[in-house]
Amino acid sequence: MESKKGHSKPGEFKPIDLLACAAAREVKDGEIVFAGTGLPMLAIMVAQHTQAPTAVCIYESGSIDGRPIDLPTSVADARCSYQAAVGDGLTDVFGQLQSGKVDLAYLGGAEVDLYGNVNCTFMGGPTGKRLTGSGGNSDIHSLAKRSVLIMPQFGQKRRFVERVSYITSPGWKIPHWPDKEWVPKQEVYGSAFNGGPAAVISDMGVYRFDAKGEMYLDTVHPGFTPEECRENCSFDLNNF
Amino acid sequence: MESKKGHSKPGEFKPIDLLACAAAREVKDGEIVFAGTGLPMLAIMVAQHTQAPTAVCIYESGSIDGRPIDLPTSVADARCSYQAAVGDGLTDVFGQLQSGKVDLAYLGGAEVDLYGNVNCTFMGGPTGKRLTGSGGNSDIHSLAKRSVLIMPQFGQKRRFVERVSYITSPGWKIPHWPDKEWVPKQEVYGSAFNGGPAAVISDMGVYRFDAKGEMYLDTVHPGFTPEECRENCSFDLNNF
Amino acid sequence: MARPKIVSLTEAVGQIKDGDMLTFGGFTVWRRPMAAIYELIRQKKRNLHLVEVNGGTHDDMLVGAGCVGIWESSWCGHELYGKFGSNLARKIEKGEILYEDWAHIHILNRLTAGSKGLPFLPTYSAMGCDMLNPENDNLGKAGLRDGSNPHIGKLKYAMYQEPFTNSEIVLVPAANPDWCITHVQMVGAEGTVRVDGLKFSDQEVIKASKHNIIIAEQVVPEEYLRREPTRNMIGGYLVDYIVEQPWGAHPTGLYGVHEPDGEFISNFFKATRTQEGFDQWAEEWIFGVKDFQEYLSKLGITRLESLKANPALGYSSTMKRGSR
Amino acid sequence: MARPKIVSLTEAVGQIKDGDMLTFGGFTVWRRPMAAIYELIRQKKRNLHLVEVNGGTHDDMLVGAGCVGIWESSWCGHELYGKFGSNLARKIEKGEILYEDWAHIHILNRLTAGSKGLPFLPTYSAMGCDMLNPENDNLGKAGLRDGSNPHIGKLKYAMYQEPFTNSEIVLVPAANPDWCITHVQMVGAEGTVRVDGLKFSDQEVIKASKHNIIIAEQVVPEEYLRREPTRNMIGGYLVDYIVEQPWGAHPTGLYGVHEPDGEFISNFFKATRTQEGFDQWAEEWIFGVKDFQEYLSKLGITRLESLKANPALGYSSTMKRGSR
């Protein structure tokens, strides 16, 4: 599978390119998009240069609707703020997020589960391997109308699990504290419910969520089969 | 009493000049002062030009530590912001006020009572004559460490009353809602108690508050007698 | 979401319906969207629900013209140019308008909560004061807290014994106006908003509102404003309509552009001590002119020029306090 | 209140006591007060309680050096230059540090509440997530919510059924650090602070803190900053100590001045996968130099110049993502 790594030549594409393009397609023109660092940032920039030229990108550092001419290294990079409409701070953008103004959020994560819960804090729970922690991942998943998770999958089966070992960000079914009962997100968020995970886009395919809030394989990228997708998933992808 | 009105000639002073100077004396150097429009604004500017050159003046419009070279017409006047340290907005300055950063507040009012409660909403209560309403008067009196009220008194006895007809801003004794019991301000504000009225400065004298939170005549301006002060007050100024 | 439309004042104000909840950018007699106020009156809007961090000449004018059903704010006056809002005062005294009084932080918090999607915000301000006297819950007394009006909650406020320090604190409910109208110095052609000078509570009231009309002295190329994103307040995606209207804040002041027209406001205050006085004034200055441009012509270039700010100071160097 | 003192870095950092609660201006690997971080390590501070909107290279360094007793934040990593904070990760995995995880809004709200004198602020963020799992109240489990530490409240958070819309909402308690250290582009001689570029959460963390140290690229005449008050963040009355230290944010980035030193951070990340690795790294870059000026000399002018921002862009036009 070495040919699936590295940079593509003109006229060719690699799974990572497909991943970015598939992710970019989730954006509708004019939408307000909240993007995280890395591949999400690339995807929204692809979208703005293709079918969604008036999509507005908000970064959690406080930069709003930048028109970068160079690829930023992180959400606080000055490259994000080039020709931005507003450059303020966290109180501004998280307030807008919470007030329901964000149509779509693009995020990454270390682990995702059947319900779209995301883990980027501990692999294996609080006694396991420590990662960065939430940053805005949790806030954005909690409060955006739709969220799209971009995840590498090929050869990384442990990233697609039945239950994440630590819930950093909420999917469609979550525990209600303190009683720990697992209930639909709507029940926990009540009037503050804006939506939830719309898709998980991997280097192998695009996954969506059914009416029960459970993940299914929607489309398979060229070069992969549904069986390969199933093999690279730790839970039983039985809905396709 | 015509000579007590109008502008003073050099070497002379009128009661209104005395009022501004007496008020200015309340400021200690380096203090953070929150000032309202009109005479309070004049008093803090006098203080900054005399004994309190490093006093910092905050206006509720969002202007911080201006160094005006012309007298402003209101707290939002560009004259307030000339050579200001910061020009932001209400969220900033009211947040600083609530966090206990304001040492001294200078305000006016239409009516003041025995406990230093201030009325600038209705003369005669909600069925009486309508005035401007609180603006920041209430917030500033509620949350500053010390507040100084600047009030005309001579010939305006109805401004100094036993109980204000509408409590716009809290003095030392206030009702506890919803049970309406009158209790010391400390009891209502609890851990948020920062202080209360330190002085009422009129064109006739300076009034302060005793341990029970009741107003007494502290000093009489030149040209007036304690009896005249008493005559221009609707309640029994029995503490002097 | 579509980009904002650049429209006429008549068209923008025409979107506002009787009964809508409105708020405005600015502070007392500074940077108020007066051109829109005149147009609201000309279009005879009725039963508006104003929820304002503070009021001023503009809302007293709307009240005088009979446009307002409910007034909620912390203050109404004309600063140095008139002791109080005489139309509002008269209607309150006669029981001709519903109103709720708030402390400045209360009403700021209500709109800030609205801007952040929160149901309430807490404050220690004005505890023990008559704005929080249960007897002064005027909308409640009028039977309007029954859920029939989406802009009127079931509680004016709530006291809360919070669990962290066991202090009693005031919770005030969010407000989300249907419309916010804001006058600013500059807006980009795609709607990026720049405010020069103090920001007051514009950011909060704009974000709290479902729809926004931005009236600007000048519409400028987007690219110009985007050279300095940190000086801008709001992205165009929050703006519904843009109107270009120079002098549109007159008679209130506009930082760096012009002073308030103190004489004009003072005359308004004096004229409006009676309803008849207001009606005559409105006949001359609102209904007697076709539109805001004719109003400006009536004021005349000499008067307007005399208000102009000195760019080095941000205010007029020839106009002194109290002088006319 | 006295005007701020302009002092040496050694003197300013010398005011901070073991056990103090600290926070910092900046965001992840941008505008962090690194010169002060090195000095805190050199002065061997112990048992610090970090409460940060987000962490980065700076706090992972303090953790590696054994300065930190309690870490509370939403994130720790090095952005593109290192997948996570390896010192923090190692100490968490080994149970050698106390920590509380928060969502970004939670911890922002904690400091914002602190900045406004409020006991708490509400948010809907991260309900149903493991940061709010009662089993993950680590300070509580360690018996530290008994009132003995003024910086640790009796509750990590509270759920509240609010009375306005009957929604369940998360209340997070205020945080008021003893110190905030912020690196900025410019400070006036009397302490007025100007930040160029994004403000992140600096305003909130500075105002929440009892004492402030401002480290600036340049100390400039007050009058210069006061020409444009709307571009400034903080008045000098909130500042205790001013330190002038050019390049004081290295290896993190400073808008309009220099890029993050990605190679430096990346090497730090790689070196610090073990405690021995950290110790060797610290020996070379912290204890092996007398002070920050010697550190800059060791880095050398060529390396520093290569990081410089292009004034038209605010970033380096020669440095591309992923390139070194």
Side-chain angles (χ1 to χ4, degrees), chain C residues 236-302:
Chain C
Y237 63 94
L238 295 176
V239 179
D240 295 83
Y241 298 100
I242 294 170
V243 177
E244 188 174 45
Q245 182 57 69
W247 292 100
H250 182 277
T252 67
L254 184 61
Y255 176 85
V257 181
H258 62 79
E259 295 281 336
D261 189 335
E263 185 182 359
F264 190 94
I265 297 174
S266 181
N267 287 341
F268 173 82
F269 173 66
K270 285 176 205 148
T272 57
R273 303 299 287 258
T274 63
Q275 186 64 48
E276 296 68 36
F278 174 84
D279 293 343
Q280 280 172 26
W281 187 94
E283 199 46 49
E284 178 174 3
W285 287 101
I286 305 177
F287 298 110
V289 294
K290 185 176 67 161
D291 55 19
F292 194 75
Q293 209 55 45
E294 204 172 294
Y295 165 91
L296 290 179
S297 300
K298 183 171 158 71
L299 286 166
I301 185 71
T302 307

Side-chain angles (χ1 to χ4, degrees), chain C residues 148-321:
Chain C
S148 60
N149 182 328
H151 289 304
I152 303 176
K154 60 181 175 179
L155 301 170
K156 177 167 176 178
Y157 74 95
M159 292 303 301
Y160 179 45
Q161 180 101 29
E162 52 81 19
F164 302 101
T165 69
N166 298 319
S167 70
E168 266 207 317
I169 195 162
V170 183
L171 309 183
V172 293
N176 289 103
D178 297 300
W179 295 90
C180 177
I181 313 179
T182 309
H183 189 93
V184 303
Q185 288 92 347
M186 277 185 209
V187 67
E190 296 175 31
T192 294
V193 174
R194 177 172 297 175
V195 169
D196 281 335
L198 298 175
K199 306 298 178 282
F200 308 136
S201 43
D202 287 19
Q203 185 156 185
E204 293 81 356
V205 297
I206 289 173
K207 289 179 193 159
S209 298
K210 294 183 195 98
H211 301 288
N212 276 285
I213 298 172
I214 299 292
I215 305 177
E217 285 297 291
Q218 289 172 295
V219 177
V220 301
E222 267 297 299
E223 186 277 327
Y224 172 74
L225 295 181
R226 285 169 178 259
R227 290 178 207 168
E228 293 176 274
T230 59
R231 289 179 62 186
N232 303 331
M233 182 182 281
I234 295 288
Y237 63 94
L238 295 176
V239 179
D240 295 83
Y241 298 100
I242 294 170
V243 177
E244 188 174 45
Q245 182 57 69
W247 292 100
H250 182 277
T252 67
L254 184 61
Y255 176 85
V257 181
H258 62 79
E259 295 281 336
D261 189 335
E263 185 182 359
F264 190 94
I265 297 174
S266 181
N267 287 341
F268 173 82
F269 173 66
K270 285 176 205 148
T272 57
R273 303 299 287 258
T274 63
Q275 186 64 48
E276 296 68 36
F278 174 84
D279 293 343
Q280 280 172 26
W281 187 94
E283 199 46 49
E284 178 174 3
W285 287 101
I286 305 177
F287 298 110
V289 294
K290 185 176 67 161
D291 55 19
F292 194 75
Q293 209 55 45
E294 204 172 294
Y295 165 91
L296 290 179
S297 300
K298 183 171 158 71
L299 286 166
I301 185 71
T302 307
R303 179 175 195 142
L304 292 174
E305 284 295 319
S306 75
L307 300 171
K308 268 205 170 170
N310 181 314
L313 299 165
Y315 55 88
S316 163
S317 54
T318 55
M319 186 166 294
K320 296 291 180 188
R321 178 184 164 141

Side-chain angles (χ1 to χ4, degrees), chain C residues 8-17 39 43 45 179 213:
Chain C
S8 71
L9 188 59
T10 308
E11 185 177 344
V13 169
Q15 308 302 311
I16 297 169
K17 295 187 189 68
E39 186 61 24
Q43 293 191 13
K45 304 294 178 191
W179 295 90
I213 298 172

Side-chain angles (χ1 to χ4, degrees), chain C residues 48-63:
Chain C
L48 299 176
H49 182 161
L50 303 191
V51 56
E52 293 210 80
V53 175
N54 54 65
T57 305
H58 66 297
D59 62 343
D60 191 60
M61 210 175 267
L62 285 174
V63 167

Side-chain angles (χ1 to χ4, degrees), chain B residues 60 70 72 74 79 88 90-91 98 122 129-130 132 134-135 138-139 142 167 175-177 180 189 192, chain C residues 30 74 76 83 93 101 104-105 123-127 129-130 135 168 199 204 259 315 319-321:
Chain B
E60 67 189 285
D70 291 294
S74 70
R79 288 162 184 80
D88 193 342
L90 279 65
T91 291
Q98 190 165 249
F122 282 110
K129 181 172 167 36
R130 176 71 189 192
T132 56
S134 165
S138 177
D139 313 276
S142 298
I167 303 172
H176 180 270
W177 308 122
K180 300 188 191 181
Y189 282 73
Chain C
W30 294 90
S74 68
C76 183
K83 287 182 178 176
E93 288 162 15
D101 283 309
H104 226 153
I105 295 180
T123 178
Y124 289 113
S125 186
M127 295 193 294
C129 298
D130 268 324
E135 290 172 17
E168 266 207 317
K199 306 298 178 282
E204 293 81 356
E259 295 281 336
Y315 55 88
M319 186 166 294
K320 296 291 180 188
R321 178 184 164 141

Side-chain angles (χ1 to χ4, degrees), chain A residues 140-224:
Chain A
I140 298 166
H141 259 100
S142 299
L143 301 167
K145 288 182 195 157
R146 308 197 313 282
S147 59
V148 172
L149 200 70
I150 305 182
M151 296 269 291
Q153 181 186 8
F154 184 76
Q156 302 199 50
K157 181 174 179 163
R158 70 196 170 96
R159 284 172 173 262
F160 282 66
V161 294
E162 175 112 22
R163 290 282 173 103
V164 289
S165 52
Y166 184 101
I167 304 171
T168 307
S169 306
W172 288 110
K173 213 166 170 187
I174 49 177
H176 180 269
W177 309 121
D179 53 53
K180 300 188 190 180
E181 195 194 346
W182 283 65
V183 294
K185 186 184 176 193
Q186 291 91 319
E187 284 186 31
V188 173
Y189 283 72
S191 60
F193 174 77
N194 291 328
V200 177
I201 299 180
S202 85
D203 47 352
M204 301 184 74
V206 176
Y207 303 81
R208 298 192 189 275
F209 295 86
D210 65 19
K212 288 190 294 177
E214 295 184 6
M215 197 192 297
Y216 66 91
L217 177 62
D218 187 37
T219 59
V220 180
H221 294 333
F224 290 108

Side-chain angles (χ1 to χ4, degrees), chain C residues 13-182:
Chain C
V13 169
Q15 308 302 311
I16 297 169
K17 295 187 189 68
D18 288 355
D20 277 356
M21 182 184 255
L22 263 67
T23 194
F24 305 101
F27 185 97
T28 69
V29 299
W30 294 90
R31 203 157 44 66
R32 296 302 194 176
M34 296 307 299
I37 299 294
Y38 293 131
E39 186 61 24
L40 284 162
I41 294 172
R42 251 182 239 112
Q43 293 191 13
K44 298 199 189 309
K45 304 294 178 191
R46 287 295 176 267
N47 202 26
L48 299 176
H49 182 161
L50 303 191
V51 56
E52 293 210 80
V53 175
N54 54 65
T57 305
H58 66 297
D59 62 343
D60 191 60
M61 210 175 267
L62 285 174
V63 167
C67 303
V68 181
I70 303 173
W71 179 89
E72 297 197 64
S73 186
S74 68
W75 191 87
C76 183
H78 307 284
E79 295 283 14
L80 193 65
Y81 313 114
K83 287 182 178 176
F84 51 87
S86 45
N87 291 300
L88 180 67
R90 183 177 60 254
K91 296 217 178 199
I92 286 177
E93 288 162 15
K94 291 191 173 175
E96 294 175 356
I97 193 168
L98 278 164
Y99 68 96
E100 287 291 357
D101 283 309
W102 297 96
H104 226 153
I105 295 180
H106 295 160
I107 188 77
L108 175 66
N109 272 9
R110 289 197 61 196
L111 286 148
T112 304
S115 77
K116 290 175 188 284
L118 292 170
F120 68 87
L121 276 172
T123 178
Y124 289 113
S125 186
M127 295 193 294
C129 298
D130 268 324
M131 293 80 93
L132 300 182
N133 184 340
E135 290 172 17
N136 294 332
D137 171 6
N138 294 325
L139 299 184
K141 287 197 291 186
L144 292 172
R145 300 202 181 277
D146 60 357
S148 60
N149 182 328
H151 289 304
I152 303 176
K154 60 181 175 179
L155 301 170
K156 177 167 176 178
Y157 74 95
M159 292 303 301
Y160 179 45
Q161 180 101 29
E162 52 81 19
F164 302 101
T165 69
N166 298 319
S167 70
E168 266 207 317
I169 195 162
V170 183
L171 309 183
V172 293
N176 289 103
D178 297 300
W179 295 90
C180 177
I181 313 179
T182 309

